[in-house]
Structure formats: structure tokens, C-alpha cells
Amino acid sequence: MKLIFRYLKPFIFASTLCIILLYTQAMTELSLPNLMSDIVNVGIQQGGVESAAPEAISREGLEFASLFMTEQEKQQVEKHYLLITPDSAQAESLIQIYPILQSKPIYLLNMENIKENDLSRQNSLDTLEEIFGRSALAFVRFMQSMDEGGLPWHQPANIQEGNNDGPKISENKQDSSAVLRDMDASALYQLVPLLRRMPPEAFENAIKEAAAADSSLAKQVGTALGRMFYAELGVDLYAMQRSYILRTGAYMLLVTLLGAAAAAGVGLLASRIGSDAARMMRRDIFRKVESFSLEEFDRYSTASLITRTTNDVNQIQMVIIMGLRMMARAPIMGIGGIVMALEKSVSLSWVIALAVLVMTGVIALIFTIAVPRFKLMQKLTDKLNLVSRESLTGMMVIRAFNNQKHEEKRFEHAADDLRTNNRFVSRIMTILPSGMMLVMNLSTLVIMWAGAREIERSAMQIGDIMAFIQYAMQIIMAFLMIAFMFVMLPRALVSANRIIEVLDVQPAIQDMEQPVTLAGGCRGEIVFRNVSFRYKGAEHDALHNISFTARPGETTAIIGSTGSGKTTLVNLIARFYDVTEGEITLDGVPIQDLTQQELRSYIGYVPQKSVLFTGDIDSNIRYGKQQASSREVAQAAEIAQAGEFIRQMEEGFDSPIAQGGANVSGGQKQRLSIARALVKRAPIYIFDDSFSALDFKTDAALRKALRRHTGDSTLLIVAQRISTVMNAEQIIVLDEGKMVGIGKHSDLLKTCREYREIAESQLSGEELA
């Protein structure tokens, strides 16, 4: 995780903005079920009546509602309602809304008497709604108790026995709001004289039951009574319902669009942050690998470095993108969903708790099984890349020895290991969404079953159940997102550790804190003083006690049997490795005191294995000196004996070069590599067995041209052929890492047995003489 946070530092502002947008998206998604619930509950079931406390009520209506209020509640109501008479100044503007005001006075909710700040205002409105709701419910409970007791409450003077216009009582006590079904205000007001003659104690039980009842039930009954009051005032109930549904629907659409915009913004920012972080990561890995000495390249295979730069970085990129889109959103959705669901119903919270418990167990089980497999996956990917690279680069050798079947088996074995591991992980991961969907569907069924009972006893409304189901789905989806991140994290953490392993490598060869510079330019004198070198982990020295001087204007040739340390020796000059003992100096300055960049800027190097890059001939030669003119490029090609075959190509210097120089021969590749070094015009040239693919005629012509071109430069030539080195001013003979001879060709034939054996194996008797 440290790696991820390290690369997210430059994107703090963008990440913060992303989190803000995620919060916005989550809040919009959490508000949608509530809005849907309001449309169902208020818009459809309650006919658009939002509150049990009516905005306007007739004098008779207020008198009726007050019968089931306490004295304190009556005072509270009287404080917030203002009497409006037909001849008052306010009546003119209110008649269109409340037509009854033309002939009768009404009470209007007085907003001015409610306290200024919004919180106190809302509290006052909530108090009024509770008072009217409890009053309506107390009336219903009283009517139900009277009906069950068989008391003759229904026979006052103006209500004749058998009159069907009297109030109808629902026999189901649970369906309290049904008591007011099919009733109108006039039927209720007929009961007022009878109710007034009753002692206050007659209402005590009903008021106590109403006070103890669920607030949701009181609100439902209160809004049903409020709808009756509005109808009495002449309010267009259809228009009220339609207006509420359209208004809430429009707000719901606006919230949806805002959530969609936030989601689009999050996707854009997350993708940008992830891709930029991945680009920076690849850049840093590449820069680190460029600083590696050959010792580090010996430790990490090319296939492994490629996998770390591509596949591993891709894993980190995906975690960053999905983390920004999910990891920050999931907790908001989960916690917010739980809070909102509890607001709808505490009694159904056990369903969510059970679902969360089951999901946590499933995630923990899958996580325990899958993590070791994810760690193995990257190693198997490395192995497959290694086998693929070896097979592709060594295809000629494979075909030459008819080993295609063997390589196919190697590849199939590596691919089968990766496939088996991936298939196992995929099967485990398939269980996760399936298990989550099962939990989600079972939760929905249980919520619907338990919710039906809540609706039956009027503790919840249909819209609340619908919203509760959606919140339950959001909570489960939040856990699904968390589970998905837990699936990705193990593999990403493995990739992060592999990347950190490369980035934290301290190269064995580093520049000094205060390096020295060759102020007067480089003459090219190289001195080895008692130099020994041993590869890391080896038991014996690859070079032991080597001492010689390579002077400007002279050719120093190095010859010896295979494995004698020739390439190792020239690699020490360019500081691809550092000496184990002794010292190498350039113009009297230890090469460790120079920066690697300055040291190598003085060297024109041709490696043992010629390497060309994708492009054309011109770009490959200019690789040694980007600012070289066309004349310098052509001259270097002529000296390297490459001019003839370049002219034979249709496009000349613009002829394309395939990856690794696959479309040119070995000799052509060597000559282009030599031209690349020569165009640099360096004071030191190193040719590491660079003439081996050339015929004798081309070899001789090239060495003759080199002598004219290099002038005062120091030449070091590693060779296997005596003809290549016999004209050198100084020949060094190596055998098993030790210098067994040094001198000119004629002298070494007499004084060095190893050199003479090499010469006798290549030259005729006349040439030796």
C-alpha cells in the first residue's frame, strides 16, 4: 500500500475531488429510495397530503380534532393557527385555494409564530404533526372501543337507528386508518355533540393507546383525517396529489442526473489518476533498470523485469482505479444504507444484520483460500514469460535440433500451471457474486415476509418496505464492492512488493557524492594495477592480478581461450562491474572517481553480441551520436565496411531495421554496430570480439580503415583470431583469468606457450615463421 500512496501523492487534489464526487454519488443513491418511498406513501397512499398537521382547517374541524387533545396540546395548536374570516384582507388570496372561505372562516397554519431558525421551525412542525396524528388515532381507537363494547353512541338525536349515512367502523383494529374510509367531515361533525357530553375520562384509554402507538401509524391516520379536512375546504385533491407526484418526481430526476454526473466525473478522474500513476511507475522502474549494473541484471531475468513493468503495474493501476471508484464509495454506501434502513424500520434490522454476518463469513472464507493462489499467479506468469521468450529468441536453435516438441511441452507445462491456478481462482471468485446474489434474494424475501406483518399492523407503509428493500440491496452491493476489492488487493499487493523490490535496489555501481571531472579532456590512457575481479557468489576470481597500460594511438589486443575472462576485462573498463581488488585509472584518475555518464561518454563500445534497435539504419548509427551529420554517418558506415551493402538496399540509410536486427545478417549487424561506435569519435574504442562474423578480407579492410580513422584513440580489441590481433602494438594473453603473456605477436610466439598454441591452431608454418 505504501507504493500506491507514494504514487498518489502528486494527485492529492484530484483524489480529494474524486472522493467528494463519490460522496455526492453515494448521497444521491441513498436519497433515491426515500424519494421513491415518498411518492408511494405520500403521493399515492396519502393522496399528496404530506403532513398530519393541515395547513388549513375549518372551525368545526379544529373543534373536532381538539376533543382528543390534552390541554397543553390544545394551547400548542391554538398558538400556531390563525383564524381567517371571509371579510379579512388575507381571504382574497386564499379563496382560490380554499373555496369554503367564501362563506365560512377557516384556521390557517401561522408560519410567523414558528421560530426563526430552520431546526426549531421543523421541530415545531413535527410537534404539530404528532399532535394531530395522535388526536386522529385517539378518535379511531375510541370509536373502535365503543363499537366493540356495543354502546349506543350512534344514536344521538339527529342520527336515526339504521341510518346508513353514519360513520362506518372497520372491524379490523389493526387497520386503523380504514376507520376513516368512506367517511366525510359532516359525518364526523354529527358526533361532536355526543362526544362533548361524555366525561373526559371516557377518552383516557384511547388517548393512552394513541400515545403508545407507533408514530408511523399516527401519521397515516392523521393524514387520512387531514385529507378529509382539505376536502371539506374545497381543495382540489387530485391537483394536490398530481402536484406532489410531479414535484417529487422532478426532484428525483434531478438527483439521478446529479448522481450520474458525479459517477461520470469519478470515472474520468479515477482513470486519469490510475493511468498517470502507472505511467510514473513504469518510468521509475525503467530509470531504475537503466541504472542497474550487470550484477543486477544477473539477479533479475529480463522476463521478470518485463512482467514487473507491464503486468504488475497493470495490477496496481486497476487497484487505484477501482479503489477510487469503489473503496471510498462502499463504506459510504454501506454505513449510509444501514442508517437509512434503520430510520425506516428498526424492527427489520435483524434481517440486514444476518445478511451482513453471512456475507462477512463468505468473504473471509474466500479471501483465506484465494490469497495464496494470487501470490502464486505472478510467479507462474513470470515462468510463462520466461519460457515464451526463450522459445521465441532461440527458435533457430530449436529448429536446428528438431526440439520443437520438447519446447511445446515446456510451454504447455508452464501454461497449464498458470491455467490451473487461474481456473481455481476463477471458480472461487465465481462463488462470491453468486453467493452475494443468493443472500440478496433471500434477504428480499425475508424483508417482504416480515414487512407484510409490519404493514398489517400499520407500523410501516408500502413505500417504506420498498425503500427498505432497496437499502438492503445497497448494503449488500457495498459489501460486494468491498469483496471485489479484497479479491484484487492480494494480487496487487504481490505486484506492489515485486515493484518495490526493483525500485529499492541499490545498484552495486554508483557514482561518488563528489565525482572528479577530466577538465583538460580525455587522452585515453588506461592503466590496470593489480586488478582482480570475482562474480558475486563465485568461489574463484574471474580475473586475478591483471596489470597493463593501454596507450593512446595504440591497439591493445586481448586474446585467450573461451572463458578466460576477456569480456569481463573490458566490462571493467566501462564500469559494467567494479573491480574486487586493485585499481583502473583513466589518464591517472581512478574510474570510480568519475561519473558513469562521463566515463562512458569517452568510450565507443561494440559488444560481443551485436544489438540493433527497431528503426532504420540511419537511426541505429546515430544512436552513438544523435547530433551526427549525414556525412559523419556515411563516413562511419564506410569505415565499418557497411557502405556497400547499405547502398545495395532500395532505401539506403532509410532501410528499416526489425527488432533485434532480425532482417540483416550477422556480419551486417556487426558492421552497423561498429559504425555506431565510430560515429561517436571517442578517445577510447572497445571491440569485444566484434569481427568474428566477418570474413578475412572484410576483417583486414576494417582494421586498416580503423587504424587511419581512430588516430590517437586507444583501441582495445578482444578477438579469437590471431590474424585480427597480430598487428597490434600490444597483445595480452589470458588463461583462466590470469595474464600469462603480454607483448607483440613476434615476441609472444617465442615467450608465451598459450599464445603459440592458439597461433599454431590457426596459422600455417610459413605464417608462423
Side-chain angles (χ1 to χ4, degrees):
M1 295 302 290
K2 289 182 180 179
L3 179 74
I4 296 175
F5 289 132
R6 182 196 307 177
Y7 283 95
L8 284 179
K9 278 184 180 179
F11 308 102
I12 291 177
F13 176 76
S15 299
T16 304
L17 180 59
C18 193
I19 292 172
I20 293 172
L21 289 174
L22 276 171
Y23 180 79
T24 304
Q25 181 188 357
M27 288 297 102
T28 57
E29 291 178 1
L30 288 170
S31 64
L32 288 176
N34 255 339
L35 292 171
M36 180 270 299
S37 173
D38 290 342
I39 288 177
V40 174
N41 292 342
V42 180
I44 298 174
Q45 287 187 284
Q46 297 173 195
V49 178
E50 299 182 53
S51 174
E55 292 183 9
I57 187 172
S58 67
R59 178 180 290 175
E60 294 83 357
L62 186 59
E63 182 181 357
F64 172 79
S66 299
L67 291 173
F68 295 91
M69 296 180 188
T70 64
E71 290 301 321
Q72 185 178 358
E73 289 173 341
K74 289 177 183 179
Q75 293 175 8
Q76 187 83 355
V77 169
E78 290 173 1
K79 176 182 175 183
H80 291 96
Y81 278 88
L82 178 67
L83 180 65
I84 306 294
T85 59
D87 57 352
S88 66
Q90 294 173 287
E92 185 177 352
S93 61
L94 294 172
I95 286 176
Q96 291 182 349
I97 305 174
Y98 310 111
I100 197 175
L101 189 56
Q102 293 177 351
S103 57
K104 290 184 178 182
I106 65 171
Y107 282 93
L108 188 70
L109 184 63
N110 187 10
M111 310 300 287
E112 294 178 0
N113 286 344
I114 297 177
K115 298 175 184 178
E116 299 112 13
N117 69 72
D118 292 338
L119 183 59
S120 298
R121 172 192 174 93
Q122 188 60 46
N123 288 338
S124 297
L125 289 174
D126 291 343
T127 301
L128 286 175
E129 182 174 26
E130 185 177 356
I131 290 171
F132 275 95
R134 302 279 181 203
S135 171
L137 184 57
F139 164 69
V140 170
R141 289 287 185 251
F142 174 76
M143 296 290 282
Q144 288 172 337
S145 64
M146 294 291 287
D147 187 58
E148 290 170 358
L151 300 177
W153 58 269
H154 57 284
Q155 294 186 17
N158 60 340
I159 301 179
Q160 301 300 321
E161 188 173 351
N163 184 0
N164 292 331
D165 293 334
K168 299 177 182 179
I169 309 302
S170 170
E171 295 179 359
N172 183 5
K173 190 171 182 178
Q174 296 294 335
D175 191 9
S176 301
S177 61
V179 172
L180 303 176
R181 193 178 302 146
D182 300 327
M183 293 179 66
D184 57 24
S186 60
L188 288 180
Y189 299 158
Q190 292 176 23
L191 301 175
V192 173
L194 176 63
L195 296 174
R196 282 192 177 281
R197 289 198 297 269
M198 289 186 174
E201 293 79 9
F203 306 135
E204 284 184 1
N205 288 337
I207 293 174
K208 287 180 180 178
E209 284 187 33
D214 191 277
S215 59
S216 174
L217 175 59
K219 182 177 180 180
Q220 291 177 57
V221 178
T223 51
L225 187 61
R227 184 175 173 83
M228 192 183 302
F229 291 147
Y230 283 129
E232 180 194 3
L233 299 179
V235 175
D236 187 343
L237 297 178
Y238 174 74
M240 176 187 287
Q241 183 179 37
R242 183 182 60 185
S243 173
Y244 180 84
I245 291 175
L246 290 177
R247 187 172 68 251
T248 308
Y251 181 64
M252 196 173 180
L253 179 61
L254 182 64
V255 170
T256 303
L257 292 176
L258 179 61
V266 168
L268 179 64
L269 284 172
S271 299
R272 185 65 181 269
I273 293 170
S275 59
D276 285 353
R279 175 182 56 80
M280 293 166 59
M281 212 175 299
R282 289 192 181 97
R283 178 199 64 196
D284 291 347
I285 294 172
F286 188 76
R287 285 178 178 174
K288 176 61 73 170
V289 171
E290 278 190 315
S291 72
F292 279 5
S293 65
L294 293 183
E295 183 177 319
E296 281 75 45
F297 282 112
D298 293 339
R299 189 191 314 170
Y300 299 101
S301 68
T302 303
S304 177
L305 290 173
I306 291 173
T307 303
R308 293 169 201 246
T309 310
T310 54
N311 186 272
D312 287 337
V313 173
N314 286 340
Q315 295 297 325
I316 303 298
Q317 181 177 350
M318 284 300 298
V319 163
I320 290 174
I321 293 174
M322 301 310 294
L324 287 172
R325 298 183 66 176
M326 288 186 179
M327 195 172 288
R329 179 184 167 204
I332 300 173
M333 291 292 295
I335 297 171
I338 291 172
V339 171
M340 300 296 279
L342 291 177
E343 283 185 2
K344 291 295 178 185
S345 174
V346 178
S347 61
L348 293 180
S349 59
W350 65 271
V351 181
I352 294 177
L354 182 61
V356 169
L357 187 64
V358 171
M359 287 187 296
T360 304
V362 171
I363 292 171
L365 179 62
I366 291 176
F367 186 73
T368 304
I369 297 172
V371 168
R373 293 284 185 159
F374 277 120
K375 291 180 179 179
L376 181 61
M377 192 177 294
Q378 295 305 105
K379 294 181 180 178
L380 294 175
T381 303
D382 268 357
K383 183 180 178 182
L384 182 62
N385 285 342
L386 178 64
V387 172
S388 301
R389 183 179 176 83
E390 285 183 346
S391 298
L392 293 173
T393 56
M395 188 58 68
M396 291 180 64
V397 177
I398 293 168
R399 289 174 178 173
F401 287 93
N402 287 322
N403 272 337
Q404 289 94 329
K405 295 293 183 184
H406 172 71
E407 291 302 318
E408 285 177 10
K409 288 180 180 178
R410 282 184 68 210
F411 181 83
E412 286 177 4
H413 180 69
D416 189 62
D417 287 344
L418 183 59
R419 177 183 61 83
T420 303
N421 190 72
N422 281 343
R423 186 168 58 184
F424 178 84
V425 171
S426 297
R427 287 174 176 172
I428 292 295
M429 291 304 105
T430 304
I431 296 173
L432 188 59
S434 303
M436 292 296 181
M437 288 303 297
L438 178 63
V439 173
M440 186 183 298
N441 292 329
L442 289 175
S443 300
T444 302
L445 288 174
V446 174
I447 290 170
M448 292 179 71
W449 173 77
R453 299 175 64 85
E454 295 293 302
I455 292 174
E456 183 184 10
R457 64 186 188 90
S458 298
M460 292 183 73
Q461 292 178 271
I462 296 174
D464 294 334
I465 293 296
M466 295 171 65
F468 193 90
I469 291 173
Q470 289 196 27
Y471 285 128
M473 299 305 101
Q474 288 179 345
I475 294 166
I476 293 172
M477 288 304 297
F479 272 85
L480 189 59
M481 286 189 283
I482 293 171
F484 185 69
M485 289 306 304
F486 273 120
V487 167
M488 294 182 65
L489 271 177
R491 190 173 181 183
L493 290 176
V494 172
S495 296
N497 289 332
R498 285 159 53 86
I499 292 171
I500 290 173
E501 185 182 356
V502 172
L503 293 178
D504 288 349
V505 167
Q506 294 298 323
I509 298 176
Q510 297 188 24
D511 294 332
M512 296 184 65
E513 293 183 3
Q514 296 181 342
V516 176
T517 301
L518 298 179
C522 178
R523 292 185 298 108
E525 183 179 74
I526 300 170
V527 178
F528 275 61
R529 293 193 182 93
N530 304 318
V531 170
S532 296
F533 174 76
R534 180 180 299 183
Y535 287 102
K536 190 173 183 179
E539 296 182 359
H540 305 287
D541 288 344
L543 292 173
H544 182 71
N545 198 26
I546 305 295
S547 297
F548 69 89
T549 300
R551 298 177 179 83
E554 295 183 358
T555 300
T556 298
I558 304 166
I559 195 169
S561 59
T562 301
S564 59
K566 303 183 296 297
T567 298
T568 302
L569 188 146
V570 294
N571 283 340
L572 293 178
I573 298 173
R575 281 199 77 192
F576 295 144
Y577 294 100
D578 267 343
V579 299
T580 306
E581 294 179 8
E583 182 183 53
I584 302 173
T585 63
L586 175 61
D587 292 346
V589 178
I591 59 174
Q592 285 90 346
D593 293 351
L594 302 172
T595 64
Q596 296 174 65
Q597 183 177 3
E598 181 182 1
L599 172 65
R600 291 165 189 165
S601 69
Y602 299 139
I603 300 173
Y605 177 70
V606 184
Q608 187 175 24
K609 181 181 179 181
S610 300
V611 177
L612 297 181
F613 300 97
T614 304
D616 53 34
I617 291 176
D618 184 78
S619 66
N620 271 277
I621 294 176
R622 287 182 190 275
Y623 199 83
K625 183 181 178 183
Q626 296 293 340
Q627 300 81 16
S629 64
S630 299
R631 181 174 175 277
E632 289 176 317
V633 170
Q635 184 183 19
E638 291 296 334
I639 296 169
Q641 308 303 301
E644 184 178 351
F645 82 79
I646 292 174
R647 285 190 293 271
Q648 290 174 355
M649 294 182 172
E650 291 184 5
E651 299 180 50
F653 282 93
D654 295 326
S655 299
I657 296 294
Q659 182 180 2
N663 60 336
V664 293
S665 68
Q668 290 172 338
K669 213 186 301 187
Q670 276 195 343
R671 281 176 276 174
L672 290 175
S673 296
I674 293 169
R676 180 174 59 201
L678 293 175
V679 79
K680 192 174 182 180
R681 294 185 177 274
I684 302 168
Y685 290 99
I686 298 175
F687 300 94
D688 186 3
D689 202 9
S690 305
F691 309 136
S692 57
L694 306 180
D695 58 79
F696 286 99
K697 180 181 177 182
T698 305
D699 185 354
L702 175 57
R703 284 186 284 109
K704 185 177 180 180
L706 278 176
R707 187 173 292 276
R708 291 197 307 269
H709 172 75
T710 54
D712 294 333
S713 298
T714 302
L715 267 67
L716 291 102
I717 299 176
V718 174
Q720 299 281 0
R721 295 196 299 225
I722 290 292
S723 60
T724 303
V725 303
M726 60 190 304
N727 294 321
E729 283 80 8
Q730 180 176 238
I731 302 173
I732 297 170
V733 185
L734 295 179
D735 183 50
E736 295 184 355
K738 297 178 182 178
M739 191 170 68
V740 294
I742 183 170
K744 293 188 176 182
H745 171 70
S746 56
D747 297 332
L748 290 172
L749 286 174
K750 299 174 185 178
T751 59
C752 182
R753 178 176 58 83
E754 289 81 0
Y755 184 79
R756 184 171 182 83
E757 288 176 355
I758 296 172
E760 288 175 346
S761 66
Q762 297 180 20
L763 303 176
S764 63
E766 292 82 1
E767 291 173 315
L768 287 172

